Amino acid sequence: MCGQRLERIVAFWTLVFIRTVTGLAEEGRSVWKKDPHFSPVSETQMFLYDTFPKEFLWGVGTAAFQVEGSWRQDGKGSSIWDRFTHSEFRNADSTGTSSDSYILLDKDLSALDFLGVTFYQFSISWSRLFPTGLVAAPNEKGLQYYNTLIDSLLYRNIDPVVTLYHWDLPLMLQEKYGGWKNESIIDIFNDYATFCFQTFGDRVKYWITIHNPYLIAWHGYGTGIHAPGERGKISTVYSVGHNLIKAHAKVWHNYKEHFQPYQKGMMSIVLGSHWIEPNKPEDELDISKCQKSMERVLGWFAKPIHGDGDYPEELKNEFSFLPRFTEDEKNYIKGTADFFAFSFGPNNFKPPNTLQKMGQNLSLNLREVLNWIKLEYNSPRILIAENGWFTDSHVKTDDTTAIYMMKNFINKVLQAIKYDDVDVFGYTAWSLLDGFEWQHAYNIRRGLFYVDFKSEKKERIPKSSALYYKQIIQENGFFPRESTPSLQAQFSCDFSWGITESVLKAELVASSPQFCDSSLYLWNVTGDGLLHKVEGIKLKTRPAQCTDFVSIKKQLDLLEKMKVTHYRFALDWSLILPNGDLSVVNRQVLRYYRCVVSEALKLNVQSMVTLYYPTHAYLGLPGPLLQAGGWLNQSTAYAFQDYAALCFRELGDLVKLWITINEPNQLSNVYNRSSNDTYRAAHNLLIAHAMAWRVYDEKYRSFQDGKVSLSLHSDWAEPANPYFESHSKAANRFLQFEIGWFANPIFKTGDYPATMREYIGFKNRKGLSYTLLPSFTSEEKQLVKGAADFYALNHFTTRFVIHEPQNGSQYEFDRDLQFLQDITCLSSPSRLAVVPWGMRRVLRWIKKTYGDIDIYITANGIDDHSLDNDELRNYYLGKYVQEVLKAYYIDKVKIKGYYAFKLTEEKSKPRFGFFTSDSKGKPSIKFYNTLISNNGFPADSSACGPSNQEKQCSFCLFISQKKPLIFFACCLFSTLILLLTIIFFHKRKRRKRFKAKSIQCLCVSF
């Protein structure tokens, strides 16, 4: 009895130990369990600027069949892929040449020298050494090629990483034995491996037995999209996988026992996988499906080799036909790898309909799959043995997308090393050259070097990705673009800190009319709960007050919480002038806006008023003007001049900063029927602004002393590919078409940028566009030039620009560019990339292009989904204001103010607001308050002290805000004094009476 109990205890703890060591407890599941307090701006989740360990290995890889070519030369035998390509692909003959690495070895070596890699991972063509696959006298030409390759690598201090089998099984072994379906191949493969160890092992320190056995079994013997092209039963697929595992184990033991003691090399097998994310991270069922998906692909081979020697339980339970390992085989197989060689590339994700997704979502998060491997297999040393992406076949050297994929993948590896302690010791970029891409043939490219397969010389031309990878290798990681450290400094004491709001919808009737109505009412006299007017009685009333508008009270309350010095809001043109002209002026609406400005002033908040704030959803024009063609009709510009003059006259005594039009350079979204419409509308908008500015300058500036400009959408543009001049030109073209379009006529020449005119003219001559950019008359040039007192910009993000030729007469097509989303950037829910340094660059560009002019940042902000912890907005504000400070302090840009965007968010739109649509404040308010109170980022707690006048204004502000309370307190105090006086005199009078009575009593007694 005791013995049985002891056995059970020993068995239990043995199982616990095994599960702990081998990962049978499915520790990898924890990768999908997200922290409920996860921060979107955690440093551990953002792009990491850091270096890899000093001993980190950088390499590049190829496969023999993909690049060697010469499939019939020098005694090489046929492989299963030679036959498969000739039977399955029309352009079969082209596979005979490919990149011709067999005869152009020197060019490959030059490409390796260019990159500066520390290792080269290549495969040996089994049929080039042994044409039949059986080990006999080797093919001398083939042997000479591989000896030369290895010696040349070592001469260059490049370590060879040699793969014995990368899918090109000798055809005779397939025809005679049935390929990997037959266990006989295991011993034949071992004989071939033994020859390679004997021949090359003195110079090779890293061996790979088989590359990605999952794809060999699944696509070679299941789907049939890989050679040998068999569409067999699922049981055949797992039988092939079984034999591949046993073949690897046999070769590993062979090397371990007979060669490693004196050759001192290491060996592994490359295992490939996808990665998958649960639909709902909090759903345990979805997480279980993700775990099953990984076990069915990566675990199929990794658990026997890197785990306990057996298949995952999920596979054994699901498939009764799954081959079984004996106990001796389990012990023989487990641990047969000196490191974990991992492949993560497009072949593991294609075709998508063949993937074991389990209804979940595919993901390219390399960091997470590395963590899964670490947790499942007891923190192995990992070599990324294949990683990269692909481009279309027409792409030559401008493989911009590949750069960003590489950037993302390699940085994920760096994050895994630095933050998660994953032991990754090397990285293999795939591949060195363009070549034959398996089932895709030559329809895609994966090389770092471009090869024109139809040319005779087949030069290796470095692509952008080669240049980028070379830079990463040289720097051993990533260095930030902007090296200027954060500043501890402040803005000037007269710096404007503002908040921006869009159009304020005016109340047409005061919300609190009770003090304006002279009638007397009786309530509920008939029990109906209604007010009944008493006829013939009139009461004394007070004049209407601004505080009668409830919405103004709310606005003031929000402004007081923001603690800003300036408030930017927009008027509603269509409400003020419903007919579009001065025939009908809505005085009530004007009074409302005047109340907003005057009440804000009582809070020491000055207003920056925008006259016209169009959006793509709401053009904001009065109905008659809209019906007359809107901005396509020049008469709208004259109507705007009259409207502006009215606003200056009615509000100008209170307003010192005016914006005529907000973002006219974004109206292409509305007037997009043709480019001619877009440019005509823009031309009229420019004229309208200039006429409004002239009206102010000539009639109102002398006594109102204000300033007028227009706000331009001014995102920065960065070439998506810094290695291509065409991208740099496209970025500059974007700035000229986006900003210079309006800024050049006003701040520079009185005409559109020469870049615009020249490029549109070029496209017209080529017949690619029929755009006619309007011309300014000499009078219009004089009108427009200089028609602004400052530069006002709205900046939200940086755009990564690609040169992309386009045909057609559209504004977007005229620019010949596309935008690329940098997947490594922190982004908002609406996909706005957070690129703080872009703010500083656009400010410097404005100064350089348009001179040393005053600049107001009239809108800057980001959308953040969170209502109770908008950390993304805090991060954005802090980083962007820091860049504004650098531009102000270091670059001497004359920045006069910063306005955060925006005060309140709108329903069903991106959440840009500091307050929700129902006026609930968010934590970012406090963060912005701190920026304002510190006036930047001071080294100590010093801040601008208020002047005497400001102190007086603060006291006046307190008095004006607390008038009712002060009046009540005065009344209470007066009543108290009066009461105390009465009590005092009453007591004194009683005391006198008491003394009189006492004296009277004394007299009577005598």
Side-chain angles (χ1 to χ4, degrees):
M1 188 76 175
C2 293
Q4 289 178 347
R5 185 178 179 185
L6 180 62
E7 286 178 6
R8 285 198 297 270
I9 293 172
V10 171
F12 171 77
W13 285 109
T14 301
L15 180 62
V16 170
F17 175 76
I18 292 173
R19 289 169 77 90
T20 302
V21 171
T22 65
L24 287 176
E26 299 182 351
E27 288 92 340
R29 295 171 62 95
S30 62
V31 173
W32 292 292
K33 294 180 180 178
K34 304 300 182 185
D35 182 359
H37 304 294
F38 168 78
S39 169
V41 295
S42 168
E43 286 189 3
T44 62
Q45 301 302 317
M46 291 192 287
F47 191 87
L48 176 60
Y49 290 101
D50 204 341
T51 56
F52 285 82
K54 289 183 179 180
E55 66 279 6
F56 194 80
L57 304 177
W58 295 101
V60 68
T62 58
F65 184 78
Q66 291 184 285
V67 299
E68 281 186 4
S70 305
W71 73 286
R72 286 180 172 175
Q73 293 184 22
D74 293 341
K76 179 186 177 298
S78 294
S79 72
I80 56 174
W81 270 98
D82 289 318
R83 185 178 69 177
F84 186 71
T85 56
H86 285 81
S87 62
E88 296 292 326
F89 300 103
R90 292 181 181 178
N91 298 325
D93 290 342
S94 64
T95 63
T97 54
S98 186
S99 304
D100 270 349
S101 288
Y102 179 72
I103 59 176
L104 299 174
L105 176 58
D106 288 342
K107 294 185 178 182
D108 287 358
L109 294 171
S110 296
L112 292 169
D113 288 337
F114 177 86
L115 292 173
V117 293
T118 51
F119 70 87
Y120 177 42
Q121 182 178 326
F122 65 92
S123 71
I124 294 174
S125 173
W126 189 345
S127 59
R128 194 176 293 282
L129 280 182
F130 301 105
T132 65
L134 298 175
V135 174
N139 175 16
E140 288 299 328
K141 290 288 186 178
L143 185 62
Q144 179 183 346
Y145 169 72
Y146 292 115
N147 272 320
T148 303
L149 171 57
I150 292 171
D151 290 340
S152 299
L153 291 173
L154 293 174
Y155 176 78
R156 290 166 166 79
N157 292 320
I158 299 173
D159 289 326
V161 177
V162 179
T163 301
L164 294 172
Y165 181 70
H166 197 132
W167 307 356
D168 50 348
L169 187 72
L171 181 60
M172 193 277 286
L173 298 181
Q174 180 67 33
E175 293 177 336
K176 183 176 181 179
Y177 296 96
W180 289 104
K181 293 182 294 184
N182 193 325
E183 282 196 48
S184 301
I185 297 295
I186 295 173
D187 289 331
I188 297 173
F189 180 60
N190 187 53
D191 292 343
Y192 158 62
T194 300
F195 175 84
C196 291
F197 299 150
Q198 291 170 340
T199 307
F200 310 120
D202 59 326
R203 292 159 291 166
V204 176
K205 302 307 175 188
Y206 295 95
W207 291 97
I208 300 295
T209 55
I210 302 168
H211 188 92
N212 211 335
Y214 173 86
L215 296 181
I216 297 170
W218 192 259
H219 289 322
Y221 295 86
T223 67
I225 63 173
H226 281 192
E230 296 188 8
R231 293 173 174 85
K233 297 179 180 179
I234 188 71
S235 57
T236 303
V237 171
Y238 284 102
S239 177
V240 168
H242 199 71
N243 290 336
L244 287 165
I245 292 171
K246 290 164 69 174
H248 157 76
K250 181 157 190 147
V251 170
W252 187 87
H253 280 287
N254 179 14
Y255 183 77
K256 194 79 170 178
E257 293 169 13
H258 302 109
F259 300 98
Q260 192 182 53
Y262 63 92
Q263 291 184 356
K264 307 298 181 183
M266 293 190 289
M267 180 178 292
S268 188
I269 178 172
V270 172
L271 303 181
S273 182
H274 64 315
W275 180 243
I276 200 151
E277 297 279 0
N279 291 322
K280 299 177 181 177
E282 69 281 359
D283 190 327
E284 286 293 333
L285 181 59
D286 282 356
I287 291 176
S288 294
K289 289 178 180 178
C290 289
Q291 179 71 14
K292 288 180 180 180
S293 175
M294 293 303 296
E295 287 178 348
R296 288 190 178 190
V297 179
L298 185 54
W300 177 10
F301 295 90
K303 190 167 175 289
I305 295 168
H306 294 278
D308 63 352
D310 200 2
Y311 294 120
E313 293 298 318
E314 200 280 326
L315 273 180
K316 291 196 292 184
N317 294 334
E318 183 74 17
F319 304 117
S320 58
F321 51 76
L322 190 72
R324 305 295 180 183
F325 292 116
T326 65
E327 290 303 316
D328 288 343
E329 286 176 332
K330 290 177 186 178
N331 292 327
Y332 187 74
I333 291 168
K334 70 179 179 181
T336 55
D338 300 315
F339 54 91
F340 198 115
F342 181 57
S343 164
F344 194 72
N347 289 325
N348 300 303
F349 289 85
K350 288 186 172 187
N353 61 328
T354 66
L355 295 173
Q356 309 269 353
K357 293 187 289 187
M358 309 287 290
Q360 306 306 302
N361 304 309
L362 292 174
S363 167
L364 296 177
N365 195 325
L366 179 53
R367 177 183 176 183
E368 290 197 346
V369 70
L370 289 174
N371 271 279
W372 190 86
I373 292 170
K374 172 191 172 184
L375 293 169
E376 286 284 318
Y377 305 113
N378 198 30
S379 301
R381 295 192 75 217
I382 300 173
L383 170 69
I384 308 296
E386 178 190 0
N387 183 236
W389 211 242
F390 65 93
T391 60
D392 293 332
S393 59
H394 69 269
V395 175
K396 294 184 178 180
T397 56
D398 183 2
D399 59 339
T400 304
T401 304
I403 288 180
Y404 286 87
M405 296 299 290
M406 176 184 286
K407 178 183 177 184
N408 179 54
F409 284 137
I410 296 179
N411 201 259
K412 291 295 183 185
V413 175
L414 181 60
Q415 291 173 32
I417 294 171
K418 295 291 184 176
Y419 295 138
D420 310 324
D421 293 324
V422 179
D423 188 6
V424 183
F425 68 90
Y427 177 88
T428 310
W430 203 275
S431 75
L432 176 65
L433 310 171
D434 287 336
F436 181 80
E437 291 300 334
W438 310 115
Q439 74 268 27
H440 301 289
Y442 294 101
N443 294 318
I444 65 171
R445 294 177 179 269
R446 291 190 65 191
L448 297 178
F449 286 80
Y450 171 76
V451 178
D452 182 354
F453 303 120
K454 296 180 180 180
S455 68
E456 292 184 8
K457 294 184 178 180
K458 293 188 173 63
E459 298 293 346
R460 278 65 168 137
I461 304 172
K463 301 181 185 179
S464 303
S465 55
L467 299 171
Y468 185 64
Y469 191 45
K470 178 180 181 179
Q471 177 183 325
I472 292 175
I473 293 172
Q474 288 175 341
E475 297 176 352
N476 199 34
F478 302 91
F479 286 92
R481 294 188 185 214
E482 291 291 316
S483 58
T484 307
S486 295
L487 280 182
Q488 288 187 315
Q490 293 175 290
F491 295 96
S492 63
C493 289
D494 60 351
F495 191 80
S496 302
W497 290 97
I499 186 72
T500 293
E501 187 62 290
S502 51
V503 177
L504 281 189
K505 291 297 181 183
E507 291 182 64
L508 300 180
V509 180
S511 307
S512 305
Q514 63 266 35
F515 297 112
C516 307
D517 191 347
S518 61
S519 300
L520 176 66
Y521 296 88
L522 294 176
W523 177 70
N524 203 29
V525 292
T526 61
D528 58 1
L530 300 176
L531 291 171
H532 294 271
K533 187 175 181 181
V534 179
E535 299 295 338
I537 300 178
K538 294 294 181 182
L539 303 175
K540 187 177 181 181
T541 61
R542 65 157 173 77
Q545 295 183 1
C546 288
T547 50
D548 294 339
F549 295 103
V550 172
S551 62
I552 291 180
K553 291 180 182 178
K554 290 182 179 179
Q555 290 284 320
L556 295 174
D557 181 53
L558 303 186
L559 286 176
E560 191 172 13
K561 290 176 180 176
M562 291 302 301
K563 298 181 180 178
V564 292
T565 63
H566 285 71
Y567 176 39
R568 182 190 171 205
F569 68 90
L571 311 180
D572 191 327
W573 182 3
S574 63
L575 280 181
I576 295 173
L577 298 178
N579 291 343
D581 56 26
L582 299 178
S583 62
V584 177
V585 178
N586 193 327
R587 295 288 171 183
Q588 183 69 8
V589 172
L590 277 172
R591 177 176 170 268
Y592 176 88
Y593 288 130
R594 186 174 180 85
C595 281
V596 172
V597 175
S598 61
E599 291 300 309
L601 281 171
K602 293 177 182 177
L603 294 175
N604 273 350
V605 176
Q606 296 185 45
S607 295
M608 175 185 280
V609 176
T610 302
L611 296 175
Y612 180 51
Y613 196 102
T615 66
H616 69 279
Y618 176 65
L619 196 53
L621 284 171
L625 297 181
L626 195 59
Q627 293 168 9
W631 289 106
L632 295 177
N633 191 331
Q634 194 172 9
S635 63
T636 303
Y638 291 95
F640 181 76
Q641 180 186 32
D642 294 340
Y643 162 62
L646 172 68
C647 295
F648 296 151
R649 184 172 66 248
E650 297 295 328
L651 305 176
D653 58 319
L654 301 178
V655 178
K656 301 304 176 189
L657 292 170
W658 292 94
I659 298 296
T660 55
I661 305 168
N662 184 70
E663 297 189 350
N665 52 343
Q666 293 292 293
L667 275 184
S668 60
N669 296 326
V670 179
Y671 294 99
N672 58 3
R673 188 177 61 182
S674 71
S675 53
N676 288 332
D677 279 0
T678 303
Y679 295 127
R680 173 54 55 190
H683 195 77
N684 290 333
L685 281 160
L686 262 171
I687 298 298
H689 157 76
M691 290 195 299
W693 186 87
R694 297 292 173 188
V695 165
Y696 190 85
D697 191 54
E698 294 168 6
K699 294 185 178 181
Y700 299 98
R701 187 188 304 277
S702 59
F703 60 92
Q704 290 184 356
D705 197 29
K707 294 182 179 180
V708 182
S709 189
L710 79 171
S711 279
L712 297 179
H713 192 101
S714 304
D715 286 340
W716 179 244
E718 195 72 16
N721 188 333
Y723 305 105
F724 263 78
E725 187 181 1
S726 63
H727 288 234
S728 298
K729 289 181 178 179
N732 180 64
R733 196 160 61 245
F734 170 82
L735 294 174
Q736 295 295 340
F737 271 75
E738 185 85 356
I739 301 174
W741 184 15
F742 282 81
N744 243 59
I746 295 171
F747 296 100
K748 204 168 185 180
T749 63
D751 197 1
Y752 297 117
T755 301
M756 284 186 74
R757 290 204 180 277
E758 290 168 4
Y759 202 79
I760 290 172
F762 161 76
K763 295 200 69 172
N764 286 340
R765 290 190 297 274
K766 293 285 186 179
L768 303 175
S769 175
Y770 300 98
T771 295
L772 293 175
L773 194 61
S775 297
F776 289 98
T777 65
S778 57
E779 292 79 8
E780 286 176 336
K781 286 184 179 180
Q782 290 180 356
L783 175 73
V784 171
K785 186 176 179 180
D789 301 312
F790 55 90
Y791 188 106
L793 73 147
N794 299 343
H795 177 89
F796 298 93
T797 188
T798 290
R799 315 294 291 272
F800 295 92
V801 180
I802 296 173
H803 172 68
E804 185 71 32
Q806 300 181 66
N807 299 343
S809 298
Q810 295 283 335
Y811 166 71
E812 287 78 10
F813 297 165
D814 284 343
R815 303 181 299 180
D816 278 352
L817 53 88
Q818 289 288 347
F819 302 116
L820 183 142
Q821 187 80 19
D822 185 350
I823 57 175
T824 67
C825 279
L826 175 66
S827 297
S828 74
S830 66
R831 302 189 71 188
L832 281 179
V834 180
V835 190
W837 48 261
M839 170 68 91
R840 183 181 177 190
R841 290 192 179 186
V842 76
L843 290 168
R844 288 190 303 206
W845 184 84
I846 291 168
K847 178 183 177 181
K848 178 181 177 181
T849 308
Y850 302 115
D852 197 18
I853 56 178
D854 290 349
I855 295 177
Y856 283 85
I857 298 161
T858 47
N860 179 237
I862 198 166
D863 58 307
D864 189 332
H865 268 328
S866 179
L867 298 178
D868 55 0
N869 189 17
D870 51 344
E871 294 176 282
L872 178 58
R873 182 170 293 107
N874 287 346
Y875 178 87
Y876 182 96
L877 285 171
K879 295 296 183 181
Y880 273 75
V881 172
Q882 175 64 222
E883 294 301 314
V884 173
L885 183 64
K886 290 176 185 177
Y888 173 83
Y889 197 82
I890 299 174
D891 307 324
K892 307 303 179 185
V893 181
K894 292 170 66 175
I895 304 165
K896 296 297 183 179
Y898 173 90
Y899 292 66
F901 184 85
K902 70 196 246 331
L903 185 61
T904 56
E905 63 191 33
E906 301 173 63
K907 290 182 179 179
S908 305
K909 289 189 177 181
R911 299 181 181 276
F912 278 91
F914 285 84
F915 291 90
T916 63
S917 56
D918 54 355
S919 302
K920 291 181 180 177
K922 301 177 186 178
S924 52
I925 296 170
K926 186 176 181 181
F927 183 85
Y928 193 40
N929 290 165
T930 303
L931 281 177
I932 294 170
S933 62
N934 288 336
N935 200 32
F937 303 89
D940 49 39
S941 58
S942 63
C944 295
S947 63
N948 292 333
Q949 184 179 358
E950 288 173 330
K951 290 178 181 177
Q952 285 179 345
C953 288
S954 298
F955 178 72
C956 294
L957 176 63
F958 177 79
I959 295 295
S960 64
Q961 286 180 320
K962 308 298 182 182
K963 274 195 277 190
L965 183 63
I966 293 170
F967 177 75
F968 175 74
C970 289
C971 291
L972 186 63
F973 182 73
S974 301
T975 304
L976 182 62
I977 294 297
L978 181 61
L979 184 60
L980 289 173
T981 302
I982 292 171
I983 292 172
F984 174 76
F985 281 109
H986 181 67
K987 285 188 175 182
R988 188 173 180 185
K989 191 174 181 180
R990 288 185 62 185
R991 194 176 296 116
K992 285 181 179 179
R993 286 179 183 175
F994 178 75
K995 285 184 178 179
K997 286 182 180 181
S998 299
I999 293 170
Q1000 190 176 6
C1001 290
L1002 284 172
C1003 293
V1004 171
S1005 63
F1006 283 108

